[in-house]
Amino acid sequence: MTAIDTALQPAHDTAHGHHAKPSGITRWLFATNHKDIGSLYLWFAFSMFIFGGVLALCIRAELFRPGLQFWQPELFNQFTTLHGLIMVFGAIMPAFTGLANWMLPLMIGAPDMAFARMNNWSFWLLPPAALLLLISFAVPGGAAAAGWTLYAPLSTQMGMGMDLTIFAIHIMGVSSIMGSINIIVTILNLRAPGMTMMRMPMFAWASLITAYLIIAVMPVLAGVVTMVLTDRHFGTHFFNAAGGGDPVLYQHIFWFFGHPEVYIMALPAFGIVSHIIPTFSRKPLFGYTSMVYATSSIAILSFMVWAHHMFTTGMPATAQLFFMYATMLIAVPTGVKVFNWIGTMWQGSMSFETPMLFAIGFICLFTVGGLSGVTLSIAAIDIQLQDTYYVVAHFHYVLVAGALFSLFAAVYYWFPKMTGRMYSEFWGKFHFWWSLLWFNVTFFPMHFLGLAGMPRRIPDYNMQFTDFNTMASVGAFCFGLGQLIFFANMLHSLRHGRPAAAKPWEGADTLEWQIATPAPYHSFVEAPDLEVGENGRIDAMHGGKHH
Amino acid sequence: MASRRVLLLLTGWSSAVLAAGVNLPPPVTGVAQDIYDLHMLLLYITGGIFVLVFGVMFWAILRHRKSAGHQAKHFHENTTVEIIWTLIPLLILVAMAWPATRLILQQKSSAGAELTIKVTGYQWKWHYDYLDDGVAFMSHLATPQSAIHQVADRGEHYLLEVDQPLVVPTGTKVRLLLTANDVIHAWWVPQLGVKQDAIPGFVRDVWFKVDRPGTYRGQCAELCGKDHGFMPIVVEARAPADYQAWLAARQKTAAANLEDPNKVWPLAELMARGEKVYTQNCVACHQANGKGIPGAFPALDGSAMATKDKPGHIDIVLNGSKKNAAMAAWGKQLSDTDIAAVITYERNAWGNHTGDVVQPKDIKAARGGKA
Ligand code: HEM
Ligand SMILES: [Cu+2]
C-alpha cells in the first residue's frame, strides 16, 4: 500500500491550488496528470492512425487496377507490414490506453492513476518506437516486409529494417505493460467507497481484463521477436530448419500472443459500447452480470484458440478439431454480449446522437465480422479462406468497425467532458454515415475476392479480381477523406464548440458525469461518497435504486 | 462492369452469382464440393441469424425511440431470457460442428494414394518431382514482365499461368508431399479444395482426386517475400491415357536431356541458355537490364564481381550470399550446366564484355571444393 500512497502524493501536493497546473512544453513532457497523459495518448494514436491510413491508401492505390503502377513489390510488402503494425500497436492500443487514462479515474472516483510518474514513462516510450518504425523506411533494404505477423524464416531474411521493427516492438511492449500495471492497480485500489467489483462500470471491467491480457501476452511477443533477432545475428537456430529449428514454432508462439491481442483490441470497445447504449436508450445496461462473465470467458478462451490461425500448417486432425471447437465456443459469450446490448435498447427511449450512431454501427458491423469469424473457425472451410482477402475483410470488420468505430463513439461521447464544449452534431452524424457507407464499399467486396481466390498481401492480381479491387480502392480513399472531417470537427469544436453542460446526455449515469465540465485538472481529490449501482450507475440521480 | 456485378448481387443468387466470382469457384473434387456445400450451409445459418437479430434491433430502433414518444421501461435483467439465448447458439454451433468434423476427417485421410508427387516451394517457383516415375521439373510464372509493367498484352490467365503445369491423371487419388527450400510457401488450388503450407524442414501431405479433365489455377498463399504475388500454380488433369502419354514423352526427353558434365560448350550456346536461366531465376531481383534495384539488389552490369572476381562470382551463385539471404544458393536448384551458362551470360551481357567462358566442369570443380 505504501507505494500507492506515495504515488498519490503529487495529486495531494498540488491540491491546494486547483489552478496550479504546469504550462508550456513541460506540462506535456513531464506530465503526470492522468488527463494530460490521456490526451497525449489520444493525439499520438490519432497521428498514427493517419500515418497507418496513408500506408493503407498506398496499398489501395497499387491495387486499384492490375499491373504494377506505383511501387515495386518489395515496397508494397513494406507498406502492408507497417500498416498492420502501426494500426495495431500505434493507433488502436494507445487510443484505448489513452481513453482509460482519461476516463478511469473519473469513472471510479480516483484522484489520478495509481502510478503517475510511470504513466509519464509509459507514454513517452511510444514516440521513439514510432520513430524507429518511421526511419526503417530509409535504411538499406527498407522497412520490414514480412507482414505484421513477421513469420520466420522470412523475417530472418530481411534487412536491418527488421531489427528496427523488433526494437520498436520491444519498446511498445514495455510501454503497454507499464500502462497495464497502472490500470490494474488503479482499478483494484482506487475505487470510490461503495463501488464494489460487481458495481464497477463496464468500461473499467473491460480495461481491467484487457490489462491482464496485455501483461500475459506482450512478453510472449517480445520473446518471439527476440528469438528472431538472435536467429538473425547470433547464430541461434530457433526457427531455422537447416540448423535443427522449427519454423512452425514461431507461429505457435506468435499466435499465442496474437489471438489474445485481437481481444486486447476488442474488449475495451465492448466496454465503451456498454456505456453508450444505455445512455442513449435511457435504460440501464441489460444483464450486467452476464456481461462481466461473458467478457471474462472471452478473455480466457482467447488463450486456447491460437492455432486457428494455423489450420493450413498441417496439424493433425485431432488438433484441428480441438481448435475448431474452442474457437466456435467464443461465439457464445460474444453472442450474449450482442443480445444484451439489444436487450438494453429494447423498450428504451432511444435517441440517436453521434456516439449512439457509432455504437449501433459498431454492433452491426462487428457482428458481420463475428459471423464471418464463425465461418473461418470451421477448419474444413478455412482451408479455402486462410490468407485470402476473405480474412482481410473479416478482420477489418472487427478492427475498423469494431475497435475504430467504438473509439469514435467514445471520443464523441466524452468530448464534452474532456473539453467543456460540444462537437458539431451535424458533422458528427455526417462523419458516421460517410464512414459507414465507404467502410462497407471498401471491405464488403473483399469477402468476394477472397472466396473467388485472391490471396492477401499481393501487389498485383488476375483481371477477374479487378472490379471489386477498384471498388475497394475508391471506398478506401473516400473513407480516408471522411476522417479529415472528423479531425476538422474536433479541432473546430475544441475552440468554438458550444459550451457543454456537466451532464450533456440525459441518460448518462456514471460517475464522470457528476463532476464539473470540463473535468477539472485534478479529479476527485477527495473520494466521492455516493451510492453506486451496477455498471457504475450513480443511482441517486434517478432518485433511488431500480432493483 | 462493377455495376453489373452489383446488379447481379441484388437480383439473384445461385448460378449467376457464382459466375460473377462472388463465391468459391466451381469445385472439381469431392472435398471441394463438400467445402462448398458446408460454406453455403453456414452462409444461410449466419445470414438467418443476422436478419433475425438485427430485425429485432431495428424494430426497437423504429418503435422505441424518444422522438416517437416512447417511455423507457427500466428492466435490466431476465435470467430465463439470458439462459435461452446462451443455449440456442450453443445448439446451432453443435449442428455446424457435426458436418464440419466429418469433412475434416475426410480431408486429412491421404491413405491409399495411387500417385505421389513431391512439391517443393522455392522463392518464387514450384518444383514438382514424380517420385516413382523419374520426372521432375520447375514451374515458373509464364506471364512476361512486360504485361506486369505495361498495360499491354494481359491475357485471361494473367499471373495465373506457368511454363510447366503439374499434370495429373483424372480419377486417381493423388498425394502431394509438400516442403520448401527457403521460407514458408503455401500450395493452394481453390477448385481442388486444397491448401497446404510448404514448410522448410518438414514434409506435409495433402491429397485430391479430380474427376473432370481440365486446367485448374491457384497461387501461393503465404507471404514469401517480394514475388509472393507471382508464384502461380497450374494443375492440368488429363484422362489416364493422355496422362500416360504425357509421362512417357517427359521420360524420354528427360533421358535425352541428361547432360554430359564434361561437355565443352561454345560461348554462343552458353549465352543463349544463360539468358533463359537468367530470365527465369535472376531477373526478378537483378532486373532484365542487369542494373538491380539500388539499395535492395546489387547491379551486375559493370559490377566488380561480374567483371573481375570470377571465383567469387561462381561462389555466390552456387552458395548464396552470406550478407543477404535474398541471394539464394542456386547450387541446390540448378544444374552445373545451367549455372555455368548463367554465369557466362552475366559476364558477357549488357556492358560486360569479359569474354569469359565458364564450363560445367568448372562448376563441378567448385562444388567439389566446397564439399
Ligand atoms: C480504415 C482504413 C483501412 C484500410 C483502407 C485498410 C486497408 C488494408 C489493406 C488493403 C490491407 C492489406 C491486405 C493484404 O494485402 O493482406 C490491410 C492489412 C491490414 N490492416 Fe488495414 N486498413 C484500414 C484500417 C485498419 C485498421 C484501423 C486496423 C486496426 C488494427 C487495420 C489492421 C490491419 C492489419 C493487422 C493488416 C494486416 C497486415 C499484414 O498483412 O501484415 N487496418 N489493411
Ligand atoms: Cu510463395
PDB file of all heavy atoms in Angstrom, chain A residues 140-156:
ATOM      1  N   PRO A 140      18.972   0.829 -45.516  1.00  0.00           N
ATOM      2  CA  PRO A 140      19.193  -0.062 -46.660  1.00  0.00           C
ATOM      3  C   PRO A 140      18.291  -1.291 -46.564  1.00  0.00           C
ATOM      4  O   PRO A 140      18.179  -1.889 -45.502  1.00  0.00           O
ATOM      5  CB  PRO A 140      20.661  -0.487 -46.509  1.00  0.00           C
ATOM      6  CG  PRO A 140      21.285   0.532 -45.627  1.00  0.00           C
ATOM      7  CD  PRO A 140      20.213   1.097 -44.759  1.00  0.00           C
ATOM      8  N   GLY A 141      17.650  -1.610 -47.670  1.00  0.00           N
ATOM      9  CA  GLY A 141      16.739  -2.758 -47.663  1.00  0.00           C
ATOM     10  C   GLY A 141      15.332  -2.382 -47.247  1.00  0.00           C
ATOM     11  O   GLY A 141      14.410  -3.159 -47.400  1.00  0.00           O
ATOM     12  N   GLY A 142      15.163  -1.178 -46.681  1.00  0.00           N
ATOM     13  CA  GLY A 142      13.824  -0.705 -46.356  1.00  0.00           C
ATOM     14  C   GLY A 142      13.248  -1.320 -45.094  1.00  0.00           C
ATOM     15  O   GLY A 142      13.929  -2.054 -44.371  1.00  0.00           O
ATOM     16  N   ALA A 143      11.989  -1.004 -44.860  1.00  0.00           N
ATOM     17  CA  ALA A 143      11.316  -1.446 -43.645  1.00  0.00           C
ATOM     18  C   ALA A 143      11.050  -2.947 -43.698  1.00  0.00           C
ATOM     19  O   ALA A 143      11.263  -3.597 -44.726  1.00  0.00           O
ATOM     20  CB  ALA A 143      10.004  -0.682 -43.498  1.00  0.00           C
ATOM     21  N   ALA A 144      10.588  -3.473 -42.564  1.00  0.00           N
ATOM     22  CA  ALA A 144      10.232  -4.887 -42.509  1.00  0.00           C
ATOM     23  C   ALA A 144       9.160  -5.177 -43.562  1.00  0.00           C
ATOM     24  O   ALA A 144       8.268  -4.371 -43.773  1.00  0.00           O
ATOM     25  CB  ALA A 144       9.703  -5.239 -41.123  1.00  0.00           C
ATOM     26  N   ALA A 145       9.280  -6.325 -44.225  1.00  0.00           N
ATOM     27  CA  ALA A 145       8.334  -6.629 -45.302  1.00  0.00           C
ATOM     28  C   ALA A 145       7.801  -8.041 -45.160  1.00  0.00           C
ATOM     29  O   ALA A 145       7.474  -8.689 -46.137  1.00  0.00           O
ATOM     30  CB  ALA A 145       9.004  -6.437 -46.656  1.00  0.00           C
ATOM     31  N   ALA A 146       7.715  -8.527 -43.937  1.00  0.00           N
ATOM     32  CA  ALA A 146       7.291  -9.913 -43.733  1.00  0.00           C
ATOM     33  C   ALA A 146       5.859 -10.004 -43.236  1.00  0.00           C
ATOM     34  O   ALA A 146       5.434 -11.043 -42.745  1.00  0.00           O
ATOM     35  CB  ALA A 146       8.233 -10.609 -42.751  1.00  0.00           C
ATOM     36  N   GLY A 147       5.078  -8.910 -43.364  1.00  0.00           N
ATOM     37  CA  GLY A 147       3.723  -8.926 -42.834  1.00  0.00           C
ATOM     38  C   GLY A 147       3.752  -8.647 -41.340  1.00  0.00           C
ATOM     39  O   GLY A 147       4.786  -8.836 -40.688  1.00  0.00           O
ATOM     40  N   TRP A 148       2.606  -8.181 -40.781  1.00  0.00           N
ATOM     41  CA  TRP A 148       2.650  -7.803 -39.362  1.00  0.00           C
ATOM     42  C   TRP A 148       2.904  -9.012 -38.489  1.00  0.00           C
ATOM     43  O   TRP A 148       3.326  -8.887 -37.357  1.00  0.00           O
ATOM     44  CB  TRP A 148       1.373  -7.069 -38.949  1.00  0.00           C
ATOM     45  CG  TRP A 148       0.258  -7.956 -38.484  1.00  0.00           C
ATOM     46  CD1 TRP A 148      -0.592  -8.666 -39.271  1.00  0.00           C
ATOM     47  CD2 TRP A 148      -0.112  -8.229 -37.123  1.00  0.00           C
ATOM     48  NE1 TRP A 148      -1.479  -9.366 -38.494  1.00  0.00           N
ATOM     49  CE2 TRP A 148      -1.212  -9.107 -37.163  1.00  0.00           C
ATOM     50  CE3 TRP A 148       0.358  -7.809 -35.873  1.00  0.00           C
ATOM     51  CZ2 TRP A 148      -1.830  -9.592 -36.018  1.00  0.00           C
ATOM     52  CZ3 TRP A 148      -0.261  -8.291 -34.726  1.00  0.00           C
ATOM     53  CH2 TRP A 148      -1.337  -9.178 -34.814  1.00  0.00           C
ATOM     54  N   THR A 149       2.697 -10.218 -39.031  1.00  0.00           N
ATOM     55  CA  THR A 149       2.959 -11.427 -38.261  1.00  0.00           C
ATOM     56  C   THR A 149       4.440 -11.792 -38.233  1.00  0.00           C
ATOM     57  O   THR A 149       4.844 -12.620 -37.436  1.00  0.00           O
ATOM     58  CB  THR A 149       2.185 -12.606 -38.854  1.00  0.00           C
ATOM     59  OG1 THR A 149       2.501 -12.678 -40.251  1.00  0.00           O
ATOM     60  CG2 THR A 149       0.690 -12.422 -38.726  1.00  0.00           C
ATOM     61  N   LEU A 150       5.228 -11.179 -39.115  1.00  0.00           N
ATOM     62  CA  LEU A 150       6.684 -11.350 -39.111  1.00  0.00           C
ATOM     63  C   LEU A 150       7.113 -12.816 -39.077  1.00  0.00           C
ATOM     64  O   LEU A 150       8.053 -13.183 -38.369  1.00  0.00           O
ATOM     65  CB  LEU A 150       7.297 -10.624 -37.894  1.00  0.00           C
ATOM     66  CG  LEU A 150       6.952  -9.138 -37.744  1.00  0.00           C
ATOM     67  CD1 LEU A 150       7.517  -8.598 -36.441  1.00  0.00           C
ATOM     68  CD2 LEU A 150       7.474  -8.322 -38.921  1.00  0.00           C
ATOM     69  N   TYR A 151       6.402 -13.647 -39.845  1.00  0.00           N
ATOM     70  CA  TYR A 151       6.730 -15.075 -39.824  1.00  0.00           C
ATOM     71  C   TYR A 151       8.194 -15.352 -40.128  1.00  0.00           C
ATOM     72  O   TYR A 151       8.752 -14.848 -41.100  1.00  0.00           O
ATOM     73  CB  TYR A 151       5.890 -15.807 -40.884  1.00  0.00           C
ATOM     74  CG  TYR A 151       4.500 -16.215 -40.438  1.00  0.00           C
ATOM     75  CD1 TYR A 151       4.004 -15.868 -39.194  1.00  0.00           C
ATOM     76  CD2 TYR A 151       3.691 -16.947 -41.291  1.00  0.00           C
ATOM     77  CE1 TYR A 151       2.730 -16.245 -38.805  1.00  0.00           C
ATOM     78  CE2 TYR A 151       2.412 -17.329 -40.919  1.00  0.00           C
ATOM     79  CZ  TYR A 151       1.937 -16.970 -39.664  1.00  0.00           C
ATOM     80  OH  TYR A 151       0.668 -17.350 -39.293  1.00  0.00           O
ATOM     81  N   ALA A 152       8.798 -16.197 -39.308  1.00  0.00           N
ATOM     82  CA  ALA A 152      10.087 -16.775 -39.651  1.00  0.00           C
ATOM     83  C   ALA A 152       9.786 -17.926 -40.609  1.00  0.00           C
ATOM     84  O   ALA A 152       8.712 -18.505 -40.543  1.00  0.00           O
ATOM     85  CB  ALA A 152      10.766 -17.296 -38.390  1.00  0.00           C
ATOM     86  N   PRO A 153      10.693 -18.314 -41.486  1.00  0.00           N
ATOM     87  CA  PRO A 153      12.038 -17.776 -41.687  1.00  0.00           C
ATOM     88  C   PRO A 153      12.090 -16.545 -42.603  1.00  0.00           C
ATOM     89  O   PRO A 153      13.198 -16.042 -42.795  1.00  0.00           O
ATOM     90  CB  PRO A 153      12.786 -18.936 -42.346  1.00  0.00           C
ATOM     91  CG  PRO A 153      11.782 -19.917 -42.775  1.00  0.00           C
ATOM     92  CD  PRO A 153      10.464 -19.542 -42.227  1.00  0.00           C
ATOM     93  N   LEU A 154      10.970 -16.063 -43.111  1.00  0.00           N
ATOM     94  CA  LEU A 154      11.050 -14.892 -43.977  1.00  0.00           C
ATOM     95  C   LEU A 154      11.642 -13.716 -43.206  1.00  0.00           C
ATOM     96  O   LEU A 154      12.460 -12.957 -43.727  1.00  0.00           O
ATOM     97  CB  LEU A 154       9.662 -14.536 -44.517  1.00  0.00           C
ATOM     98  CG  LEU A 154       9.632 -13.373 -45.507  1.00  0.00           C
ATOM     99  CD1 LEU A 154      10.491 -13.668 -46.722  1.00  0.00           C
ATOM    100  CD2 LEU A 154       8.210 -13.051 -45.940  1.00  0.00           C
ATOM    101  N   SER A 155      11.244 -13.568 -41.938  1.00  0.00           N
ATOM    102  CA  SER A 155      11.714 -12.411 -41.177  1.00  0.00           C
ATOM    103  C   SER A 155      13.208 -12.511 -40.862  1.00  0.00           C
ATOM    104  O   SER A 155      13.827 -11.512 -40.531  1.00  0.00           O
ATOM    105  CB  SER A 155      10.909 -12.258 -39.889  1.00  0.00           C
ATOM    106  OG  SER A 155      10.857 -13.480 -39.190  1.00  0.00           O
ATOM    107  N   THR A 156      13.777 -13.708 -40.964  1.00  0.00           N
ATOM    108  CA  THR A 156      15.218 -13.779 -40.741  1.00  0.00           C
ATOM    109  C   THR A 156      15.981 -13.380 -42.000  1.00  0.00           C
ATOM    110  O   THR A 156      17.183 -13.182 -41.960  1.00  0.00           O
ATOM    111  CB  THR A 156      15.662 -15.188 -40.291  1.00  0.00           C
ATOM    112  OG1 THR A 156      15.217 -16.129 -41.270  1.00  0.00           O
ATOM    113  CG2 THR A 156      15.044 -15.546 -38.962  1.00  0.00           C
TER     114      THR A 156
END
